[in-house]
Amino acid sequence: MSIDSVSTPGRVAEDTEGITLDELALAARNHAMPLEVLRHDVTPVGLHYLLTHYDIPATRADTWQLSVSGSVARPLALDLAWLRHRRPTTVRVTMECAGNGRARLSPRPISQPWLVEAVGTADWTGVPLRDVLDEAGVDPSAVDVVFTGADHGVERGVEQDYQRALALDDALRPEVILAYEMNGSALPPQHGFPVRLVVPGWYGMAQVKWLRSIHVVDAPFDGFQHHAYRLRENTDDPGRPVTRIQPRALLMPPGFPDFMTRARIVDAGAVTLTGRAWSGHAPIQRVEVSLDGGEHWHTARLESDTGHRWAWRRFDFTWQATPGHYRLTARAQDAEGRQQPVDQSWNRGGFANNAIQLIQTLCR
């Protein structure tokens, strides 16, 4: 029997097609960050967004080993004790799934049906990747560095270990680390125990979990996950690679919610609207808030630079609320001029969607 009978090509939903059972199964297995958790500078581990492509593998710290091979002078076989004896570094990183916002697109790409909450910020501790590559001695012919995780599965008919690569220049950036701790404790199983790759500023698909090998190659990597994560208009479009996180601001919903619709209720008077903003390209420079779904904008107060380049920044705005119905939202702009759009350009994978959120709000 062929695995093609259970692993089918990617598709987009029909015009009137609701959420499928397969999408619901993915939504039950993976989870988003509740928006009220935006109150925390660092997301508690159990509330950080989570996407697992295949299964969480059975890994053990005492038997784990990381191979470093390929175009290097000194191939390595490293254990966890070796990494822990190196000089550690901690980087605070806002991580976002490349498919965040996918379920809001029309037509909807059939995959994990994220709304806007597939994000979280953590303190990752580990060893700079470039220290490990220096130890191995990268050959001058090297082009890409390939990372392979222990998670194994099949996707669109292709059986594989989860595998991604970085161009050598990206891999050697000082903020890229091999992390063995999250928020001061050992990585939990679902977040890549015992060691994962953390690439600040990039979408989540680059952050290979349950890392078991690093292979330096002298030609561009051409694996499945590099083809899968591209911005395409149709199946014939070669597309553009998904890499760094586009600017986004999210409001923490004010007041209290309706159970079913999550619409908010606030009382008239001064209401502090607060949230977080981030970009993987450049520091956040400006955040604006709208009360009418993006027709009119008001400048929010952005907190001072915290020194955490790769983490979100807090913003707030005081709203003198009067009775009525409102559509609250926010948008971010980074220091290189990228501005979060009101509407989203469609792509077949549902990637890099940073259109503004909308919070339906009743002021009474």
Side-chain angles (χ1 to χ4, degrees), residues 224-301:
F224 178 91
Q225 296 298 336
H226 273 224
H227 286 286
Y229 283 93
R230 298 185 74 87
L231 302 174
R232 295 185 176 92
E233 298 299 315
N234 55 64
T235 54
D236 296 324
D237 182 2
R240 295 176 290 110
V242 178
T243 56
R244 291 190 173 274
I245 298 171
Q246 296 298 311
R248 187 192 289 277
L250 285 179
L251 282 171
M252 186 173 71
F256 59 90
D258 171 68
F259 168 73
M260 194 68 215
T261 66
R262 304 304 296 178
R264 312 299 295 191
I265 296 93
V266 300
D267 291 321
V271 177
T272 299
L273 301 177
T274 187
R276 305 279 175 168
W278 63 95
S279 170
H281 292 275
I284 291 297
Q285 186 175 65
R286 178 182 175 90
V287 177
E288 296 172 297
V289 169
S290 176
L291 310 175
D292 53 14
E295 293 185 23
H296 302 89
W297 294 96
H298 311 274
T299 301
R301 186 186 69 87

Side-chain angles (χ1 to χ4, degrees), residues 133-306:
L133 294 176
D134 286 347
E135 185 81 15
V138 175
D139 190 89
S141 67
V143 173
D144 280 0
V145 183
V146 182
F147 306 89
T148 302
D151 45 332
H152 183 86
V154 59
E155 200 166 342
R156 302 180 197 170
V158 178
E159 186 174 355
Q160 60 192 281
D161 294 331
Y162 189 85
Q163 197 172 58
R164 288 278 307 185
L166 292 172
L168 182 60
D169 286 348
D170 289 320
L172 292 175
R173 289 179 64 94
E175 67 270 14
V176 179
I177 67 170
L178 304 180
Y180 47 76
E181 288 185 358
M182 179 183 187
N183 293 356
S185 298
L187 295 179
Q190 70 272 28
H191 282 288
F193 176 85
V195 175
R196 71 176 294 168
L197 179 67
V198 174
V199 189
W202 285 56
Y203 282 111
M205 79 282 153
Q207 331 279 336
V208 178
K209 293 181 280 189
W210 310 292
L211 190 63
R212 64 177 181 82
S213 76
I214 298 173
H215 191 69
V216 182
V217 295
D218 60 5
F221 176 67
D222 195 35
F224 178 91
Q225 296 298 336
H226 273 224
H227 286 286
Y229 283 93
R230 298 185 74 87
L231 302 174
R232 295 185 176 92
E233 298 299 315
N234 55 64
T235 54
D236 296 324
D237 182 2
R240 295 176 290 110
V242 178
T243 56
R244 291 190 173 274
I245 298 171
Q246 296 298 311
R248 187 192 289 277
L250 285 179
L251 282 171
M252 186 173 71
F256 59 90
D258 171 68
F259 168 73
M260 194 68 215
T261 66
R262 304 304 296 178
R264 312 299 295 191
I265 296 93
V266 300
D267 291 321
V271 177
T272 299
L273 301 177
T274 187
R276 305 279 175 168
W278 63 95
S279 170
H281 292 275
I284 291 297
Q285 186 175 65
R286 178 182 175 90
V287 177
E288 296 172 297
V289 169
S290 176
L291 310 175
D292 53 14
E295 293 185 23
H296 302 89
W297 294 96
H298 311 274
T299 301
R301 186 186 69 87
L302 187 62
E303 75 172 340
S304 300
D305 187 352
T306 62

Side-chain angles (χ1 to χ4, degrees), residues 26-34 44-52 112 114 117-119 190-191:
L26 285 172
R29 178 173 176 78
N30 301 304
H31 70 78
M33 181 197 71
V45 171
L47 297 173
H48 193 287
Y49 102 90
L50 178 69
L51 175 69
T52 303
Q112 168 67 33
W114 297 121
E117 301 96 337
V119 66
Q190 70 272 28
H191 282 288

Side-chain angles (χ1 to χ4, degrees), residues 31-44 46-49 94-96 100-101 104 114-121 248-255 257 261-264 272-278 312 314-315 328-330 340 355-361:
H31 70 78
M33 181 197 71
L35 289 177
E36 59 269 29
V37 178
L38 287 167
R39 68 172 62 98
H40 296 284
D41 291 338
V42 174
T43 310
L47 297 173
H48 193 287
Y49 102 90
T94 294
M95 198 176 292
E96 182 178 5
N100 199 17
R104 304 169 71 204
W114 297 121
L115 295 173
V116 296
E117 301 96 337
V119 66
T121 294
R248 187 192 289 277
L250 285 179
L251 282 171
M252 186 173 71
T261 66
R262 304 304 296 178
R264 312 299 295 191
T272 299
L273 301 177
T274 187
R276 305 279 175 168
W278 63 95
W312 55 26
R314 187 181 185 276
F315 65 88
L328 307 182
T329 189
Q340 187 178 357
I356 60 171
Q357 77 185 124
L358 288 173
I359 303 174
Q360 302 293 337
T361 303

